[in-house]
Amino acid sequence: MMTLEQEHKMVLELKRQKGSVVWKNLSKYASVFLVLALSGGILLWRNIHTLEQKLNCQTVSALYQFRNSIQSSFVPGGPPLLYHNHSYCVHLGQEPSPEEALQERFLLESLAWPEPQPRAVPTPLRQTSDPAHSQFTIIRAGNIRKWYVGDQLETLVHMHDFQGRPKRYGGDFLLARLHSPELGAGVAGQVFDRRNGLYSAVFPLLWEGPAQVEVTLVHSSEAVAVLRRLREERPDRVFFKSLFRSGFLSETTMCNLCLPTNQQPLCNYTDPHTGEPWYCYKPKLLGCDTRINHAKGGYQKHLLANKEALLFQSGVNIKVRIRASGSDRVVVLPEEKDNPEDESTSVRAEPARVAPSGYYFHGSWRSLGGVAGRQFNDSSVITQCLKGKMVFMYGDSTARQWFEYLNAFVPELKEFNLHSPKNVGPFMAVDSTQNILLRFRCHGPPIRFSTVAASELRYVANELDGLAGGPDTVVVISVWAHFSTFPLEVYVRRLRHIRRAIVRLLDRAPGTLVVVRSANLQALDAEVSLYNSDWFSVQLDGVLRAMFRGLDVLLVDAWEMTLAHQLPHALHPPPVIVKNMIDTVLSYICPVQS
Ligand SMILES: *[C@@H]1O[C@H](CO)[C@@H](O)[C@H](O)[C@H]1NC(C)=O
Ligand SMILES: *[C@@H]1O[C@H](CO)[C@@H](O)[C@H](O)[C@H]1NC(C)=O
Ligand SMILES: *[C@@H]1O[C@H](CO)[C@@H](O)[C@H](O)[C@H]1NC(C)=O
């Protein structure tokens, strides 16, 4: 996956290429047509008639239509608007069991985000949350509070609007972390929405020494309301396309999870195993079985009214820090052996204890509640650890990053040239001496990669069903980034299919290690926010955790690992964070010998 800008460039490039391909074909055959046309109607009719039989076309009644459809490939006009509502193809796929259906309902209820009031009327910017007017305070009981390792630090965030007036309702999307640049330390904070314009941000104190609080407004509650509307009403805001080709005919049509059925005939590519829906508009001349590839088509523009656009301004109300009133720092003292339950302790008993999955110290991630972390700085230690293993990676480009990291860092791993397109895959690397196999394959539609061959489109659940598994098999799954434009039910359904396939895999081959990588934070500007906001991701992340809870899988908490780190958020986290993720997995496979 690329940045939006790169993607735009690419879409333009694709359009250009697409045009040129058709031109090439056309010029190649133009003379043929000319001859055909000159040699009269009979020959022409026969030619088209055989075409019709050969290509299983619906109707090829005249040259006029033929020419028309070739021209339609040139017209760069945008796709037709799709009018969707909340039930947007969410009922498709394998039937959920009663328990799964119940779980889904609870899950969606638990992820319901507070709505701003008043709901219907668009709020003028001046009455929306303004990070510059907002502030947070470290809560100190008395004035003499001391902080010890093992305690929790609580801060209170007061949100204000652009006029400086306190907000009276919740729903703002805030991020919080506690960190120490001196110690290379950082941990994610947990934010509790009190639904009255106040928020608590709570941090566990895990290291001794300095610690400083950072609170960021990602989006105002009013902006979140806009994102919610987009997610439910405009799942077509990223659109897809496929090229169909047979002989010298080629056509490109629009595709998506669901398409309105009343406009044009559809090709139905619903997956027979999972029931995952996928449709393209049927090409005018070609049959549905002539689909050559799948690609991201582009991004719908003009999604916002002018007033709404004001809610998405870089440097104003997208990912802007909130300042502290008073100090944002504390010094944490060594853990007290017999910490007396003094009054200040009882104050911090509320809210509940937060339990992050780990934290950084001296720049390396320490998992809490898992195995002790090891650092794999030396590629030979990695090959020792992976000796005899087959590692299968499935997902979006955040899974591909792991393949790329290992392939680049371990010289013994040689990439096997599968002649796959760059950045798309599938990819494979081997160390034949140590018998290590590494593979990457992207997940199925709605994958937003440049161009994936139709023959290479696979659903992760089906791939898992094709694995023998066992103690020498490691499976890595990272599926999230390309679901941000769809209602949550679409992601629930996809993960349910993957979850069932994992259960089957672990049943038939106990000892298989399944690693699930969660969503991560990314760089946001006004445009990226509408398609890929962290607000979409935080909800996907909530779904992912719930869907794999209770399953014997290793969760790599990319969310916290990017939140707690001092480097800027990026869709593709920098190598130092990827290394920490991979070290976490390798530490699990090859724990420290005691
Ligand atoms: C939403 O779409 C479904 C299926 O297309 C339709 O049955 C339903 O009436 C629609 N609901 C609304 C509120 O438009
Ligand atoms: C597409 O195919 C699936 C499975 O064969 C079927 O359940 C579904 O109804 C079809 N969709 C349409 C719009 O016909
Ligand atoms: C690995 O590298 C990091 C950073 O260079 C260093 O701090 C750490 O001590 C190294 N660990 C091992 C086990 O070599």
Side-chain angles (χ1 to χ4, degrees):
M1 219 162 27
M2 293 163 271
T3 65
L4 203 60
E5 197 183 329
Q6 285 170 316
E7 286 182 344
H8 283 159
K9 275 204 201 113
M10 209 191 55
V11 169
L12 287 178
E13 174 65 12
L14 273 174
K15 277 192 182 140
R16 202 183 55 74
Q17 281 175 4
K18 189 183 100 197
S20 66
V21 168
V22 180
W23 267 123
K24 224 164 51 200
N25 284 345
L26 196 70
S27 57
K28 202 158 134 201
Y29 295 103
S31 49
V32 179
F33 286 133
L34 198 65
V35 171
L36 285 178
L38 288 177
S39 63
I42 297 166
L43 186 57
L44 184 64
W45 169 247
R46 266 181 46 199
N47 195 46
I48 289 176
H49 192 69
T50 40
L51 238 180
E52 182 180 2
Q53 290 173 331
K54 187 168 145 217
L55 302 173
N56 184 26
C57 293
Q58 205 179 25
T59 41
V60 185
S61 52
L63 181 62
Y64 165 77
Q65 209 179 344
F66 189 11
R67 210 203 279 123
N68 233 14
S69 72
I70 289 186
Q71 273 170 351
S72 70
S73 309
F74 291 101
V75 181
L81 277 184
L82 310 180
Y83 298 98
H84 293 305
N85 62 29
H86 190 81
S87 58
Y88 179 84
C89 76
V90 295
H91 58 286
L92 303 170
Q94 287 166 357
E95 191 76 22
S97 68
E99 298 94 283
E100 285 170 336
L102 199 64
Q103 182 198 27
E104 173 167 347
R105 223 186 64 219
F106 284 138
L107 175 57
L108 296 176
E109 273 168 21
S110 75
L111 291 172
W113 200 268
E115 308 226 9
Q117 300 126 4
R119 296 166 60 164
V121 203
T123 317
L125 180 70
R126 62 178 190 281
Q127 288 169 23
T128 68
S129 305
D130 176 15
H133 278 99
S134 304
Q135 47 184 304
F136 71 85
T137 328
I138 294 178
I139 296 176
R140 292 164 196 270
N143 237 346
I144 45 155
R145 180 86 168 88
K146 282 192 179 126
W147 307 102
Y148 297 94
V149 170
D151 280 355
Q152 290 197 142
L153 178 71
E154 193 184 340
T155 65
L156 194 61
V157 187
H158 303 253
M159 294 306 298
H160 290 79
D161 65 18
F162 280 82
Q163 295 172 306
R165 289 196 295 232
K167 293 294 294 281
R168 298 283 175 221
Y169 51 84
D172 296 305
F173 179 26
L174 300 173
L175 292 176
R177 75 176 183 125
L178 185 73
H179 67 122
S180 165
E182 302 93 322
L183 297 172
V187 67
Q190 200 165 328
V191 177
F192 298 91
D193 185 346
R194 298 188 177 186
R195 311 222 171 169
N196 57 1
L198 299 176
Y199 299 77
S200 319
V202 185
F203 310 89
L205 297 176
L206 299 167
W207 62 84
E208 188 188 327
Q212 115 192 33
V213 175
E214 190 181 284
V215 179
T216 303
L217 175 79
V218 184
H219 295 301
S220 66
S221 56
E222 294 82 8
V224 166
V226 172
L227 297 179
R228 188 201 333 255
R229 177 179 66 73
L230 289 178
R231 185 176 64 189
E232 305 309 338
E233 294 176 8
R234 298 303 306 271
D236 61 325
R237 66 198 184 282
V238 171
F239 54 95
F240 302 86
K241 61 183 185 180
S242 275
L243 171 71
F244 296 78
R245 197 179 60 220
S246 180
F248 55 81
L249 278 182
S250 64
E251 287 182 65
T252 301
T253 72
M254 242 223 334
C255 310
N256 217 321
L257 274 179
C258 284
L259 293 168
T261 47
N262 54 359
Q263 302 192 354
Q264 289 168 50
L266 298 178
C267 290
N268 185 349
Y269 298 110
T270 297
D271 178 61
H273 303 292
T274 58
E276 283 287 348
W278 192 255
Y279 296 92
C280 296
Y281 282 118
K282 189 184 171 303
K284 289 204 174 67
L285 291 170
L286 296 170
C288 292
D289 53 1
T290 62
R291 183 175 62 149
I292 299 294
N293 67 30
H294 160 91
K296 176 172 69 299
Y299 295 83
Q300 298 274 20
K301 302 293 166 192
H302 315 297
L303 295 166
L304 300 184
N306 290 343
K307 267 191 183 153
E308 290 175 329
L310 297 174
L311 301 171
F312 298 91
Q313 299 180 64
S314 291
V316 176
N317 49 15
I318 302 176
K319 275 206 184 174
V320 174
R321 296 265 167 83
I322 291 173
R323 72 200 150 78
S325 78
S327 175
D328 61 353
R329 276 152 227 260
V330 296
V331 174
V332 185
L333 302 171
E335 192 166 6
E336 279 207 322
K337 284 289 167 273
D338 33 38
N339 201 351
E341 283 288 308
D342 57 26
E343 275 155 55
S344 55
T345 316
S346 57
V347 168
R348 77 177 149 76
E350 191 264 341
R353 289 198 78 78
V354 294
S357 63
Y359 66 106
Y360 287 104
F361 195 71
H362 290 157
S364 75
W365 183 254
R366 299 183 173 187
S367 295
L368 292 167
V371 295
R374 277 180 75 184
Q375 286 171 311
F376 292 79
N377 294 358
D378 188 347
S379 71
S380 66
V381 184
I382 297 184
T383 47
Q384 271 166 39
C385 178
L386 291 180
K387 186 175 159 71
K389 300 231 182 270
M390 296 181 284
V391 185
F392 300 92
M393 302 175 180
Y394 303 105
D396 52 42
S397 57
T398 61
R400 189 186 71 219
Q401 262 197 306
W402 287 23
F403 178 92
E404 288 164 346
Y405 175 87
L406 284 170
N407 189 37
F409 187 71
V410 182
E412 293 80 5
L413 279 169
K414 304 277 185 252
E415 185 166 358
F416 190 86
N417 184 359
L418 296 171
H419 305 283
S420 296
K422 192 174 183 304
N423 291 337
V424 172
F427 299 120
M428 176 163 128
V430 288
D431 174 351
S432 48
T433 331
Q434 299 299 332
N435 200 39
I436 300 170
L437 172 69
L438 212 63
R439 307 196 69 149
F440 164 79
R441 178 182 282 287
C442 69
H443 68 71
I447 190 82
R448 263 188 236 164
F449 278 0
S450 48
T451 304
V452 185
S455 57
E456 296 286 8
L457 279 180
R458 314 279 169 81
Y459 290 93
V460 174
N462 294 342
E463 289 296 291
L464 296 181
D465 281 343
L467 289 181
D472 292 325
T473 301
V474 179
V475 172
V476 174
I477 299 167
S478 186
V479 175
W480 59 277
H482 301 189
F483 287 83
S484 54
T485 49
F486 299 103
L488 279 180
E489 290 90 336
V490 168
Y491 190 56
V492 173
R493 177 180 66 211
R494 183 62 55 96
L495 293 192
R496 181 155 60 227
H497 296 149
I498 295 176
R499 182 195 155 94
R500 288 175 173 183
I502 292 175
V503 169
R504 288 190 290 266
L505 173 63
L506 295 177
D507 250 7
R508 74 173 169 272
T512 311
L513 174 60
V514 179
V515 181
V516 176
R517 179 205 186 279
S518 74
N520 61 258
L521 293 154
Q522 52 186 306
L524 296 182
D525 62 18
E527 200 175 10
V528 174
S529 296
L530 306 186
Y531 310 99
N532 292 338
S533 168
D534 290 340
W535 184 75
F536 300 124
S537 306
V538 76
Q539 305 247 298
L540 298 179
D541 200 50
V543 170
L544 180 136
R545 283 159 206 269
M547 293 301 286
F548 294 121
R549 193 168 294 141
L551 219 56
D552 189 14
V553 301
L554 175 67
L555 179 80
V556 173
D557 197 333
W559 187 268
E560 287 191 9
M561 292 178 86
T562 48
L563 174 53
H565 204 274
Q566 83 272 8
L567 284 174
H569 302 160
L571 173 56
H572 299 126
V576 59
I577 296 182
V578 176
K579 176 188 188 292
N580 272 299
M581 293 177 184
I582 288 176
D583 281 0
T584 307
V585 176
L586 294 175
S587 303
Y588 190 86
I589 301 174
C590 310
V592 200
Q593 310 292 332
S594 54

